[in-house]
């Protein structure tokens, strides 16, 4: 089976930064697509950013210029560098990883932006 674990969430002031990490573990992973999603209170889960094994990236308009997604293929780990965080970024952030046959979700990590 595949396990997906996020880390790096926490409380930060507006304008601050956080870096989230997500590590996938298991046998014969062959991960193609990794991405971050978030769900704020009272809202639907939305895509934040994705990255392929070839490091092609895509971002939601709301985070362009502030967030950067990256990955270490050897470690099966994806990162989300979040800069200039704002209160509207407050949400539970979820990691999703995909191989050619299945998708796997992490448990989520809380990001709270508040003064």
């Amino acid at each position: 089976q595949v396990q997906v674990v996020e880390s790096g969430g926490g409380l930060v002031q507006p304008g601050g930064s956080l870096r989230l990490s997500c590590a996938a573990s298991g046998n014969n992973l062959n991960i193609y697509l990794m991405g971050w999603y978030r769900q704020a209170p009272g809202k639907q889960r939305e895509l934040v950013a994705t990255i392929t094994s070839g490091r092609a990236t895509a971002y939601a308009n709301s985070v362009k210029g502030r967030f950067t997604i990256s990955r270490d293929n050897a470690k099966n780990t994806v990162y989300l560098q979040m800069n200039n965080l704002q209160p509207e970024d407050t949400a539970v952030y979820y990691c999703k990883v995909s191989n050619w046959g299945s998708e796997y979700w992490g448990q989520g990590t809380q990001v709270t932006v508040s003064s």
Side-chain angles (χ1 to χ4, degrees):
Q1 68 182 54
V2 175
Q3 185 176 18
V4 180
V5 180
E6 303 101 330
S7 63
L11 175 65
V12 65
Q13 293 184 329
S17 298
L18 287 172
R19 190 174 83 149
L20 306 182
S21 299
C22 170
S25 61
N27 293 326
N28 196 28
L29 293 177
N30 194 29
I31 299 299
Y32 163 63
L33 184 68
M34 308 185 83
W36 290 95
Y37 296 73
R38 67 186 182 187
Q39 188 165 21
K43 296 184 178 180
Q44 291 184 303
R45 187 173 299 187
E46 64 177 355
L47 184 145
V48 177
T50 60
I51 185 167
T52 69
S53 58
R55 295 193 174 93
T57 60
Y59 296 91
N61 288 333
S62 59
V63 306
K64 287 181 179 178
R66 299 189 298 121
F67 291 9
T68 302
I69 189 170
S70 61
R71 65 186 286 171
D72 185 331
N73 290 338
K75 297 181 178 180
N76 290 310
T77 300
V78 62
Y79 307 93
L80 186 68
Q81 178 66 47
M82 304 184 294
N83 297 328
N84 193 24
L85 284 161
Q86 301 299 313
E88 55 264 36
D89 296 314
T90 295
V92 177
Y93 284 71
Y94 297 91
C95 177
K96 185 179 78 173
V97 303
S98 303
N99 57 26
W100 292 112
S102 301
E103 299 180 350
Y104 307 92
W105 289 89
Q107 80 289 344
T109 185
Q110 177 70 49
V111 172
T112 302
V113 184
S114 177
S115 60

